[in-house]
Amino acid sequence: MNGMTVILRKELRDAVQGRWLLVFAGVFGLLALTLSLVDRDAGTTSAQSFNRTTAGLINLCLLIVPLLALVLGAGAIAGERERGTLAGLLANPVTTTEVLLGKYFGLVISVWMAIALGFGAAALLVSPINPLTGAGHYLLFAALSAGLATAMVSIGVLISVLSNGRTKAMAIAVAVWFGLVLFYNLGAIGLALAVSSSGQTLLVAVLGNPVESVRILAVLSLEPDLAILGPLGSYLSNEFGQGRSAMLLGGNLVAWAAAPLALAIYIFRRQDA
Amino acid sequence: MLTVTNVSKTYGKSTVLSGVSFELEPGSVLAVIGSNGAGKSTLIKSIVGLIRHDGEITIGGHSVTRDAKKARRLIGYVPQQSTLPPDLTVQEAAVFAAQLKGVDVDRARKAVESAGLEAHADRKVSALSGGMNQRLALALALLAAPPLLVLDEPAAGLDVSARLGLRKLIEEQRALGTSVLLSTHWIEDVPHVADNALILDSGKPVYFGPASRLATDRAAASRLYLRLNGKTPKALSLVTAATGAETVNQSGDWLVVTCPADSKARVVETLVSAGVPILDFRVEEAPVDEAVTRMRQAQEALR
């Protein structure tokens, strides 16, 4: 077992013993149940209702998953450094890259487990009310949430490497979450529309934020007609078509996972423990 | 085993380590001495590869910067403050350390036993006392039988019996052929545990050579306060003549004797043999700053 695997396994163990994983699954399941009950009261049919619940879930994921992933990532290195345990870890025959990757993948797998449990709990609670008809979409949304989490943990780990204290790292992570999840639509996309309302400008704005990329991917998977996305949809439809648009947005998500992680490794290797 | 060549470390415009060079042979013990801020911990962290530095450090021929993993495989490191994961139990921490060092996890159990912590194996590391924590850290540092043991202020916070235990451990490791590098404030221990001493003053080496010189050059001076019952003048001449004390002063009922650390017992013995009753006494160990100044002056006088 190499150093990276040992550290990864410890991260997983910490996640299970820390119980946040179960708390996330429980809260997610209950929110999904609430959404489902609201839909049932709205009087839609079962099939429509499940899809509506699923669409509601993705919006829920776009809020909760980035926060969870950013905060966990931000604590990864800054927390160890603050406790003094980072020096103890690096005094062993492991490289700085192994330590960082071990912590990163440990956190990513933990968040994936939390998402799987959350979606699983939601399906168990919702299916007696609204029978499961769109399982494919449901699984795709779970996968999109996992992809978003992967990118967000990466950004969180970069924040962690750059911060000289856990509290500071957490504060920056929450600020980034506010920026990407709550203010981006108003800020970047609003600015893009003000500068030029062309589909190309909007696409650049969407690619600048992994949360927006996942939001558009989710819409693409639910709605084959891209016109629903307005100028952006028309641009995507004309330039790329649905399949290539999905590949572009998916590739963007991969880039958002890889680039901050690579930068974090580069910086971490040049830092004192 | 360990070669340190012209190692320096700066933070911005502040130089905390400057031009440190020495070699540590297999099976020998080197004590790094200096007051707070002298650069001891910076030097040790550079050797372990925890901080970037200028100059070259090799362990068993492996550079700690270019070949960090192989170099660290040869080190057992005990830092000044605990770096063990506080959320793990003693047994889990030992297994984690064994896995990181790539040794059989069976050795983890033996390490817990050797630290005398088998009864506390299920306790969290955070719940251990300082002494227990250090015993565990030492046992885990020795898990992979490293040829180089690096101890940063290992005697800090230890009581007398724990300090004696530490001395014994260092002697055992030396006998096994392990090289030991330790930083310490306890200058009077150094001639007894170390072959060589490196004295740092504001990051600069002021002495590197046999540790025994610290005793002969009286770097390790102690101050004894003895309360005598009215026989102070007699004691004053006795102590001055018999023990080679540097200064003997009278202050009321108290006799203040500054002498080499290893002559303290001789002072007391001389007085008791001469029938001078000692009503009370107090010992002040050699301040490390004083010792550094003495050694620096001795070195300058030689030039």
Side-chain angles (χ1 to χ4, degrees):
Chain A
M1 205 186 318
N2 67 17
M4 191 184 93
T5 318
V6 175
I7 294 163
L8 186 155
R9 283 173 46 149
K10 181 176 178 296
E11 284 300 321
L12 289 177
R13 176 204 155 279
D14 289 350
V16 172
Q17 291 200 345
R19 296 203 175 90
W20 59 262
L21 208 137
L22 288 174
V23 170
F24 175 85
V27 169
F28 194 81
L30 286 174
L31 287 170
L33 182 66
T34 312
L35 278 172
S36 182
L37 290 171
V38 168
D39 283 340
R40 191 185 62 173
D41 292 346
T44 48
T45 65
S46 290
Q48 281 174 326
S49 189
F50 194 86
N51 276 344
R52 283 168 61 95
T53 304
T54 309
L57 276 183
I58 195 73
N59 281 322
L60 196 63
C61 280
L62 291 175
L63 273 177
I64 297 177
V65 169
L67 183 62
L68 177 76
L70 276 168
V71 166
L72 285 173
I77 299 296
E80 294 269 4
R81 192 174 270 145
E82 197 166 276
R83 284 195 299 270
T85 48
L86 184 63
L89 210 51
L90 286 169
N92 286 291
V94 289
T95 63
T96 44
T97 307
E98 282 176 338
V99 169
L100 196 116
L101 287 179
K103 292 194 78 67
Y104 173 74
F105 285 116
L107 286 174
V108 164
I109 295 170
S110 304
V111 180
W112 285 355
M113 281 161 57
I115 289 169
L117 277 175
F119 271 83
L124 277 177
L125 291 170
V126 171
S127 56
I129 302 165
N130 298 319
L132 192 66
T133 52
H137 278 134
Y138 196 72
L139 289 175
L140 180 67
F141 281 5
L144 283 176
S145 300
L148 179 61
T150 310
M152 287 299 172
V153 173
S154 185
I155 296 169
V157 167
L158 177 61
I159 292 168
S160 194
V161 164
L162 290 169
S163 305
N164 53 11
R166 194 167 187 269
T167 314
K168 191 175 172 183
M170 294 294 171
I172 296 171
V174 172
V176 168
W177 176 77
F178 264 102
L180 292 179
V181 175
L182 301 179
F183 296 134
Y184 195 81
N185 276 335
L186 292 171
I189 296 183
L191 188 69
L193 281 170
V195 173
S196 159
S197 60
S198 74
Q200 192 176 9
T201 315
L202 283 170
L203 178 62
V204 170
V206 165
L207 294 178
N209 182 349
V211 181
E212 288 307 314
S213 294
V214 169
R215 195 192 306 276
I216 303 299
L217 270 170
V219 174
L220 283 180
S221 72
L222 273 180
E223 184 54 68
D225 183 5
L226 293 177
I228 194 172
L229 291 169
L232 174 65
S234 305
Y235 180 76
L236 286 174
S237 181
N238 293 338
E239 294 294 323
F240 303 104
Q242 194 177 20
R244 284 173 63 204
S245 295
M247 280 170 65
L248 175 69
L249 293 165
N252 184 55
L253 197 57
V254 172
W256 269 107
L261 181 64
L263 188 58
I265 291 172
Y266 178 83
I267 295 166
F268 189 51
R269 286 177 65 175
R270 280 154 187 78
Q271 286 179 330
D272 292 340
Chain B
M1 183 71 238
L2 168 68
T3 307
V4 175
T5 312
N6 203 23
V7 167
S8 301
K9 174 72 182 174
T10 52
Y11 291 104
K13 287 179 182 170
S14 161
T15 301
V16 291
L17 208 57
S18 173
V20 178
S21 298
F22 63 86
E23 278 192 36
L24 179 60
E25 298 298 325
S28 66
V29 180
L30 170 68
V32 181
I33 304 159
S35 48
N36 286 333
K40 303 186 298 293
S41 287
T42 305
L43 175 63
I44 283 184
K45 284 178 182 168
S46 300
I47 289 168
V48 181
L50 297 177
I51 56 177
R52 294 162 66 78
H53 54 267
D54 296 321
E56 180 72 20
I57 298 173
T58 61
I59 299 166
H62 302 291
S63 163
V64 297
T65 42
R66 290 186 301 278
D67 206 359
K69 199 168 171 177
K70 281 186 183 159
R72 284 181 193 147
R73 207 172 281 286
L74 304 175
I75 303 177
Y77 170 55
V78 181
Q80 195 173 349
Q81 274 153 358
S82 175
T83 58
L84 299 171
D87 50 328
L88 296 185
T89 65
V90 168
Q91 183 61 31
E92 285 168 345
V95 170
F96 183 53
Q99 288 171 336
L100 282 172
K101 289 173 193 297
V103 299
D104 197 306
V105 289
D106 267 359
R107 285 210 216 167
R109 187 179 43 79
K110 286 177 189 154
V112 172
E113 279 174 20
S114 75
L117 293 172
E118 46 293 36
H120 305 278
D122 295 325
R123 271 175 84 178
K124 294 259 181 184
V125 168
S126 57
L128 295 179
S129 70
M132 285 176 177
N133 208 309
Q134 199 187 24
R135 288 202 321 258
L136 180 62
L138 262 169
L140 298 186
L142 294 169
L143 257 176
L148 173 63
L149 186 59
V150 179
L151 311 170
D152 193 358
E153 295 279 2
L158 293 187
D159 57 24
V160 175
S161 107
R163 270 171 71 184
L164 289 173
L166 182 69
R167 263 199 207 186
K168 192 171 162 231
L169 180 133
I170 292 170
E171 279 158 19
E172 284 168 1
Q173 288 301 313
R174 174 163 43 191
L176 290 170
T178 308
S179 307
V180 182
L181 184 140
L182 72 147
S183 70
T184 184
H185 266 89
W186 299 100
I187 199 160
E188 65 170 280
D189 278 356
V190 172
H192 303 287
V193 296
D195 301 302
N196 287 305
L198 168 69
I199 300 183
L200 294 175
D201 183 23
S202 303
K204 295 191 185 86
V206 293
Y207 173 77
F208 176 73
S212 54
R213 280 263 319 263
L214 296 180
T216 55
D217 286 8
R218 301 182 171 201
S222 292
R223 196 162 290 143
L224 244 85
Y225 294 81
L226 301 147
R227 192 156 71 86
L228 310 169
N229 194 10
K231 294 190 176 179
T232 313
K234 181 187 173 188
L236 207 143
S237 56
L238 267 173
V239 171
T240 309
T243 63
E246 266 177 45
T247 59
V248 186
N249 298 312
Q250 188 181 340
S251 173
D253 281 352
W254 291 84
L255 196 68
V256 184
V257 183
T258 307
C259 64
D262 56 2
S263 296
K264 292 193 295 278
R266 201 138 46 91
V267 171
V268 175
E269 192 186 346
T270 302
L271 292 172
V272 171
S273 321
V276 178
I278 301 171
L279 301 180
D280 196 1
F281 73 97
R282 190 158 60 85
V283 180
E284 226 173 58
E285 295 300 351
V288 74
D289 298 1
E290 242 174 59
V292 170
T293 307
R294 281 162 190 260
M295 292 307 288
R296 191 177 55 220
Q297 285 166 348
Q299 290 298 101
E300 281 165 1
L302 286 173
R303 284 180 198 140

